[in-house]
Amino acid sequence: MATSLSKLLTRSKAHSHRCSTSHSLQRQFWSRHFSAVADSSFSTSAALGSQTIPPAPTQDNKRGSKWTQLLLFLPGAITFGLGSWQIVRREEKIKTLEYQQQRLKMEPMKLNAEHPPDKNLDALEFRRVSCKGVFDEQKSIYLGPRSRSISGVTENGYYVITPLLPIPGDLDSMQSPILVNRGWVPRSWRDKSQESSESDSVTNESTIAKPLSIEQSSWWKFWSKTPVITKEQVSTVKPVEVVGVIRGGENPSIFVPANDPSTGQWFYVDVPAMARAIGLPEDTIYVEDVHEDIDRSRPYPVPKDINTLIRSKVMPQDHLNYCITWYSLSAAVTFMAYKRLKPKSARR
């Protein structure tokens, strides 16, 4: 009996030991399985969190991005302003040309003792005038070189500007000298004029030297030094009548050389400097000859065409072309800026 009881106890202990061992193995398996699942889920959630949740931008970055977006539209605003400015310039140019045309249609005003010229040169510009006087050929100024196209052939030459002096004792003549742009002359005209002026200067020096020697022997001729225009000289003077337009000086571009009065090189019209170079007051009136009656025996100088006086370097049509160009450029750069800032999702 005792032996059977001991066998039963031994069997029960062995069975309980096997059960405890299997339960521990099951607990270890499930604990390992749950830990692996937990680790994988944690890593997946961390990866997804790093991809889908970006860091919140700061306030400074938001302000910087707004200014960058505004700067993209700045070229479009600038070009739009330039196009609008060309419209304003076009309207101003149209009014200026209309004013000049109205002035040129007026009857010529005679500059004589009854109608002396106004000292306000701005009020006289583009006013047609009729002047009677005598040209002083020896003090002519050659402006240029200026080209002229005749039947498709271009020839270089100059504009000749000569002082027109009043006639003593003539009430129909001017009362003060003026500068007259007589028109275009070929290059050979200037060369001949320089040769004749050099020969005249040599003749004058020889004639002046003789009276000086007489003065040394005849003291009573000391009072005859001052030149006097005699009646015989007045009768030999050939008066001319110039019909022209009062103009102002020119505004040269940066590519035009500077005038050199000492060497007689004139590249643009500077009325005060020209008047000072030939001994006239700086407020001398400058007139461009537009007289159409040309002496066929003396084809030069060729007066200016009156229609060329109402032309400008930039005409209203040019301003319109510039306006279209600026507006087109403004539309292009503004569209590019809009496409750059458009969201990618909306593009798709």
Side-chain angles (χ1 to χ4, degrees):
M1 186 72 179
T3 307
S4 60
L5 288 173
S6 64
K7 289 181 179 178
L8 288 173
L9 290 173
T10 305
R11 291 177 181 176
S12 62
K13 289 179 179 179
H15 179 71
S16 62
H17 178 71
R18 292 194 197 101
C19 290
S20 62
T21 303
S22 63
H23 285 305
S24 64
L25 291 174
Q26 289 178 359
R27 284 195 299 269
Q28 291 178 3
F29 172 77
W30 288 113
S31 64
R32 291 177 182 176
H33 176 72
F34 286 134
S35 63
V37 171
D39 292 339
S40 62
S41 62
F42 177 77
S43 61
T44 304
S45 62
L48 292 175
S50 63
Q51 291 179 359
T52 58
I53 304 176
T58 61
Q59 191 70 18
D60 295 337
N61 292 335
K62 290 182 179 180
R63 292 178 181 177
S65 62
K66 289 182 179 179
W67 281 110
T68 304
Q69 293 176 2
L70 292 177
L71 287 176
L72 291 177
F73 291 95
L74 183 60
I78 293 175
T79 50
F80 183 84
L82 292 174
S84 303
W85 177 68
Q86 288 297 329
I87 292 179
V88 176
R89 292 286 297 131
R90 180 176 180 272
E91 295 298 326
E92 293 177 352
K93 189 61 64 66
I94 291 175
K95 292 181 181 179
T96 301
L97 295 178
E98 290 177 352
Y99 170 77
Q100 294 174 0
Q101 288 178 349
Q102 293 176 358
R103 300 275 287 182
L104 293 175
K105 290 179 181 179
M106 299 173 66
E107 291 295 325
M109 179 181 62
K110 288 188 175 182
L111 296 182
N112 51 22
E114 296 180 0
H115 301 89
D118 191 359
K119 293 300 181 182
N120 187 7
L121 298 181
D122 294 335
L124 291 175
E125 192 170 4
F126 281 95
R127 186 71 167 87
R128 296 177 65 190
V129 292
S130 176
C131 311
K132 184 179 180 181
V134 180
F135 282 125
D136 190 355
E137 301 278 356
Q138 295 182 354
K139 294 184 178 180
S140 295
I141 293 175
Y142 290 88
L143 180 70
R146 300 293 172 90
S147 60
R148 180 171 178 263
S149 180
I150 304 174
S151 300
V153 179
T154 303
E155 185 179 4
N156 290 328
Y158 299 88
Y159 284 132
V160 56
I161 301 175
T162 307
L164 185 66
L165 305 179
I167 303 174
D170 191 347
L171 297 180
D172 290 335
S173 172
M174 306 174 308
Q175 302 304 307
S176 59
I178 64 173
L179 289 175
V180 179
N181 187 339
R182 299 163 62 188
W184 184 88
V185 296
R187 186 182 296 270
S188 58
W189 181 286
R190 181 188 181 186
D191 298 336
K192 292 179 181 179
S193 176
Q194 289 178 349
E195 292 176 359
S196 62
S197 62
E198 289 176 359
S199 61
D200 291 341
S201 63
V202 172
T203 305
N204 292 334
E205 288 177 359
S206 62
T207 54
I208 290 172
K210 186 176 180 181
L212 287 176
S213 61
I214 296 175
E215 284 182 3
Q216 292 177 357
S217 59
S218 303
W219 61 271
W220 57 272
K221 289 187 178 180
F222 174 79
W223 304 103
S224 65
K225 282 184 177 182
T226 306
V228 179
I229 300 177
T230 61
K231 293 182 179 180
E232 290 79 6
Q233 292 175 332
V234 173
S235 61
T236 58
V237 170
K238 183 181 179 181
V240 294
E241 185 173 359
V242 175
V243 178
V245 179
I246 297 178
R247 296 296 306 276
E250 295 178 346
N251 295 323
S253 64
I254 59 176
F255 303 103
V256 178
N259 293 329
D260 190 0
S262 59
T263 59
Q265 293 183 351
W266 300 90
F267 300 99
Y268 61 92
V269 178
D270 187 353
V271 180
M274 289 179 171
R276 186 168 56 250
I278 59 180
L280 297 179
E282 293 187 359
D283 58 351
T284 301
I285 296 177
Y286 171 67
V287 176
E288 292 185 349
D289 189 2
V290 294
H291 202 268
E292 298 179 355
D293 296 336
I294 301 175
D295 187 2
R296 297 299 177 183
S297 60
R298 300 185 62 185
Y300 300 111
V302 180
K304 282 190 173 183
D305 186 2
I306 194 171
N307 295 322
T308 61
L309 300 180
I310 56 177
R311 291 193 58 84
S312 177
K313 295 180 180 178
V314 182
M315 296 297 288
Q317 183 61 36
D318 299 327
H319 286 292
L320 182 60
N321 295 336
Y322 297 154
C323 173
I324 295 174
T325 302
W326 285 121
Y327 278 156
S328 301
L329 186 60
S330 175
V333 297
T334 303
F335 179 75
M336 292 171 63
Y338 169 75
K339 294 290 289 183
R340 178 67 180 83
L341 298 177
K342 191 176 180 181
K344 294 182 178 180
S345 60
R347 294 182 195 174
R348 296 176 183 176

mmCIF file of all heavy atoms in Angstrom, residues 127-148:
data_model
loop_
_atom_site.group_PDB
_atom_site.id
_atom_site.type_symbol
_atom_site.label_atom_id
_atom_site.label_comp_id
_atom_site.label_asym_id
_atom_site.label_seq_id
_atom_site.Cartn_x
_atom_site.Cartn_y
_atom_site.Cartn_z
ATOM 1 N N ARG A 127 8.189 130.763 -84.937
ATOM 2 C CA ARG A 127 7.447 131.873 -85.555
ATOM 3 C C ARG A 127 8.142 132.244 -86.852
ATOM 4 O O ARG A 127 9.357 132.435 -86.896
ATOM 5 C CB ARG A 127 7.420 133.077 -84.604
ATOM 6 C CG ARG A 127 6.566 134.219 -85.084
ATOM 7 C CD ARG A 127 5.093 133.851 -84.988
ATOM 8 N NE ARG A 127 4.255 135.025 -85.161
ATOM 9 C CZ ARG A 127 3.832 135.504 -86.345
ATOM 10 N NH1 ARG A 127 4.195 134.892 -87.460
ATOM 11 N NH2 ARG A 127 3.063 136.559 -86.397
ATOM 12 N N ARG A 128 7.361 132.322 -87.912
ATOM 13 C CA ARG A 128 7.920 132.715 -89.207
ATOM 14 C C ARG A 128 8.150 134.224 -89.220
ATOM 15 O O ARG A 128 7.289 135.013 -88.809
ATOM 16 C CB ARG A 128 6.981 132.317 -90.340
ATOM 17 C CG ARG A 128 6.784 130.816 -90.482
ATOM 18 C CD ARG A 128 5.789 130.501 -91.571
ATOM 19 N NE ARG A 128 6.292 130.912 -92.870
ATOM 20 C CZ ARG A 128 5.561 130.941 -93.987
ATOM 21 N NH1 ARG A 128 4.277 130.617 -93.941
ATOM 22 N NH2 ARG A 128 6.094 131.311 -95.126
ATOM 23 N N VAL A 129 9.330 134.629 -89.731
ATOM 24 C CA VAL A 129 9.706 136.041 -89.759
ATOM 25 C C VAL A 129 10.287 136.364 -91.128
ATOM 26 O O VAL A 129 10.761 135.482 -91.861
ATOM 27 C CB VAL A 129 10.737 136.372 -88.661
ATOM 28 C CG1 VAL A 129 10.115 136.248 -87.275
ATOM 29 C CG2 VAL A 129 11.959 135.478 -88.773
ATOM 30 N N SER A 130 10.255 137.645 -91.460
ATOM 31 C CA SER A 130 10.864 138.162 -92.687
ATOM 32 C C SER A 130 11.901 139.201 -92.283
ATOM 33 O O SER A 130 11.579 140.182 -91.593
ATOM 34 C CB SER A 130 9.787 138.785 -93.591
ATOM 35 O OG SER A 130 10.370 139.361 -94.732
ATOM 36 N N CYS A 131 13.142 138.975 -92.701
ATOM 37 C CA CYS A 131 14.256 139.824 -92.278
ATOM 38 C C CYS A 131 14.965 140.373 -93.516
ATOM 39 O O CYS A 131 15.232 139.625 -94.464
ATOM 40 C CB CYS A 131 15.251 139.043 -91.431
ATOM 41 S SG CYS A 131 14.495 138.073 -90.100
ATOM 42 N N LYS A 132 15.281 141.647 -93.490
ATOM 43 C CA LYS A 132 16.013 142.292 -94.577
ATOM 44 C C LYS A 132 17.333 142.799 -94.029
ATOM 45 O O LYS A 132 17.381 143.466 -92.993
ATOM 46 C CB LYS A 132 15.207 143.452 -95.161
ATOM 47 C CG LYS A 132 15.857 144.107 -96.368
ATOM 48 C CD LYS A 132 14.983 145.231 -96.914
ATOM 49 C CE LYS A 132 15.637 145.884 -98.125
ATOM 50 N NZ LYS A 132 14.808 147.012 -98.661
ATOM 51 N N GLY A 133 18.425 142.473 -94.714
ATOM 52 C CA GLY A 133 19.736 142.891 -94.262
ATOM 53 C C GLY A 133 20.810 142.491 -95.248
ATOM 54 O O GLY A 133 20.546 142.243 -96.427
ATOM 55 N N VAL A 134 22.028 142.397 -94.753
ATOM 56 C CA VAL A 134 23.196 142.080 -95.579
ATOM 57 C C VAL A 134 23.963 140.949 -94.903
ATOM 58 O O VAL A 134 24.214 140.989 -93.695
ATOM 59 C CB VAL A 134 24.108 143.321 -95.741
ATOM 60 C CG1 VAL A 134 25.316 142.978 -96.595
ATOM 61 C CG2 VAL A 134 23.334 144.478 -96.341
ATOM 62 N N PHE A 135 24.327 139.930 -95.689
ATOM 63 C CA PHE A 135 25.107 138.819 -95.163
ATOM 64 C C PHE A 135 26.571 139.201 -95.023
ATOM 65 O O PHE A 135 27.148 139.829 -95.915
ATOM 66 C CB PHE A 135 24.997 137.591 -96.068
ATOM 67 C CG PHE A 135 23.715 136.824 -95.898
ATOM 68 C CD1 PHE A 135 22.894 136.562 -96.985
ATOM 69 C CD2 PHE A 135 23.331 136.362 -94.649
ATOM 70 C CE1 PHE A 135 21.728 135.845 -96.828
ATOM 71 C CE2 PHE A 135 22.159 135.651 -94.484
ATOM 72 C CZ PHE A 135 21.351 135.397 -95.572
ATOM 73 N N ASP A 136 27.158 138.815 -93.896
ATOM 74 C CA ASP A 136 28.598 138.966 -93.681
ATOM 75 C C ASP A 136 29.247 137.604 -93.954
ATOM 76 O O ASP A 136 29.393 136.774 -93.064
ATOM 77 C CB ASP A 136 28.875 139.431 -92.252
ATOM 78 C CG ASP A 136 30.321 139.831 -92.046
ATOM 79 O OD1 ASP A 136 31.133 139.665 -92.979
ATOM 80 O OD2 ASP A 136 30.661 140.294 -90.936
ATOM 81 N N GLU A 137 29.621 137.388 -95.222
ATOM 82 C CA GLU A 137 30.101 136.081 -95.655
ATOM 83 C C GLU A 137 31.388 135.665 -94.936
ATOM 84 O O GLU A 137 31.629 134.463 -94.732
ATOM 85 C CB GLU A 137 30.344 136.088 -97.168
ATOM 86 C CG GLU A 137 29.129 136.423 -97.998
ATOM 87 C CD GLU A 137 28.235 135.223 -98.219
ATOM 88 O OE1 GLU A 137 28.627 134.123 -97.770
ATOM 89 O OE2 GLU A 137 27.155 135.370 -98.801
ATOM 90 N N GLN A 138 32.222 136.609 -94.585
ATOM 91 C CA GLN A 138 33.514 136.270 -93.990
ATOM 92 C C GLN A 138 33.382 135.666 -92.593
ATOM 93 O O GLN A 138 34.334 135.041 -92.114
ATOM 94 C CB GLN A 138 34.399 137.512 -93.942
ATOM 95 C CG GLN A 138 34.772 138.044 -95.316
ATOM 96 C CD GLN A 138 35.686 139.255 -95.220
ATOM 97 O OE1 GLN A 138 35.940 139.760 -94.121
ATOM 98 N NE2 GLN A 138 36.167 139.718 -96.363
ATOM 99 N N LYS A 139 32.232 135.844 -91.951
ATOM 100 C CA LYS A 139 32.042 135.309 -90.602
ATOM 101 C C LYS A 139 31.101 134.108 -90.590
ATOM 102 O O LYS A 139 30.496 133.801 -89.567
ATOM 103 C CB LYS A 139 31.503 136.404 -89.673
ATOM 104 C CG LYS A 139 32.495 137.535 -89.434
ATOM 105 C CD LYS A 139 31.953 138.534 -88.440
ATOM 106 C CE LYS A 139 32.964 139.646 -88.169
ATOM 107 N NZ LYS A 139 32.440 140.642 -87.202
ATOM 108 N N SER A 140 31.005 133.418 -91.705
ATOM 109 C CA SER A 140 30.118 132.254 -91.785
ATOM 110 C C SER A 140 30.654 131.110 -90.932
ATOM 111 O O SER A 140 31.866 130.908 -90.800
ATOM 112 C CB SER A 140 29.960 131.801 -93.239
ATOM 113 O OG SER A 140 29.292 132.788 -94.008
ATOM 114 N N ILE A 141 29.737 130.364 -90.372
ATOM 115 C CA ILE A 141 30.036 129.189 -89.565
ATOM 116 C C ILE A 141 29.493 127.968 -90.304
ATOM 117 O O ILE A 141 28.353 127.974 -90.776
ATOM 118 C CB ILE A 141 29.407 129.302 -88.169
ATOM 119 C CG1 ILE A 141 30.065 130.428 -87.373
ATOM 120 C CG2 ILE A 141 29.527 127.988 -87.403
ATOM 121 C CD1 ILE A 141 29.419 130.683 -86.020
ATOM 122 N N TYR A 142 30.318 126.917 -90.369
ATOM 123 C CA TYR A 142 29.918 125.693 -91.052
ATOM 124 C C TYR A 142 29.644 124.616 -90.000
ATOM 125 O O TYR A 142 30.530 124.231 -89.235
ATOM 126 C CB TYR A 142 31.001 125.254 -92.034
ATOM 127 C CG TYR A 142 31.109 126.182 -93.220
ATOM 128 C CD1 TYR A 142 31.939 127.302 -93.179
ATOM 129 C CD2 TYR A 142 30.362 125.959 -94.368
ATOM 130 C CE1 TYR A 142 32.023 128.165 -94.254
ATOM 131 C CE2 TYR A 142 30.447 126.812 -95.453
ATOM 132 C CZ TYR A 142 31.272 127.916 -95.397
ATOM 133 O OH TYR A 142 31.348 128.775 -96.462
ATOM 134 N N LEU A 143 28.409 124.163 -90.008
ATOM 135 C CA LEU A 143 27.932 123.203 -89.023
ATOM 136 C C LEU A 143 27.881 121.811 -89.660
ATOM 137 O O LEU A 143 27.224 121.603 -90.680
ATOM 138 C CB LEU A 143 26.534 123.596 -88.538
ATOM 139 C CG LEU A 143 25.868 122.701 -87.511
ATOM 140 C CD1 LEU A 143 26.563 122.812 -86.173
ATOM 141 C CD2 LEU A 143 24.392 123.063 -87.380
ATOM 142 N N GLY A 144 28.570 120.879 -89.061
ATOM 143 C CA GLY A 144 28.512 119.541 -89.641
ATOM 144 C C GLY A 144 29.705 118.681 -89.277
ATOM 145 O O GLY A 144 30.423 118.962 -88.311
ATOM 146 N N PRO A 145 29.892 117.627 -90.055
ATOM 147 C CA PRO A 145 29.281 117.336 -91.362
ATOM 148 C C PRO A 145 27.842 116.839 -91.260
ATOM 149 O O PRO A 145 27.495 116.142 -90.333
ATOM 150 C CB PRO A 145 30.185 116.259 -91.939
ATOM 151 C CG PRO A 145 30.792 115.592 -90.751
ATOM 152 C CD PRO A 145 30.922 116.631 -89.689
ATOM 153 N N ARG A 146 27.045 117.215 -92.294
ATOM 154 C CA ARG A 146 25.663 116.777 -92.419
ATOM 155 C C ARG A 146 25.459 116.214 -93.829
ATOM 156 O O ARG A 146 25.871 116.849 -94.805
ATOM 157 C CB ARG A 146 24.692 117.938 -92.172
ATOM 158 C CG ARG A 146 24.810 118.575 -90.807
ATOM 159 C CD ARG A 146 24.384 117.623 -89.715
ATOM 160 N NE ARG A 146 24.662 118.132 -88.385
ATOM 161 C CZ ARG A 146 23.819 118.862 -87.678
ATOM 162 N NH1 ARG A 146 22.643 119.194 -88.201
ATOM 163 N NH2 ARG A 146 24.133 119.268 -86.464
ATOM 164 N N SER A 147 24.845 115.048 -93.907
ATOM 165 C CA SER A 147 24.645 114.387 -95.198
ATOM 166 C C SER A 147 23.304 114.787 -95.795
ATOM 167 O O SER A 147 22.366 115.168 -95.087
ATOM 168 C CB SER A 147 24.726 112.869 -95.037
ATOM 169 O OG SER A 147 23.723 112.419 -94.135
ATOM 170 N N ARG A 148 23.247 114.663 -97.125
ATOM 171 C CA ARG A 148 22.021 114.977 -97.871
ATOM 172 C C ARG A 148 21.892 113.968 -99.003
ATOM 173 O O ARG A 148 22.847 113.736 -99.753
ATOM 174 C CB ARG A 148 22.083 116.408 -98.420
ATOM 175 C CG ARG A 148 20.856 116.841 -99.214
ATOM 176 C CD ARG A 148 20.943 118.327 -99.501
ATOM 177 N NE ARG A 148 19.824 118.798 -100.308
ATOM 178 C CZ ARG A 148 19.848 118.955 -101.614
ATOM 179 N NH1 ARG A 148 20.978 118.692 -102.290
ATOM 180 N NH2 ARG A 148 18.795 119.383 -102.277
#
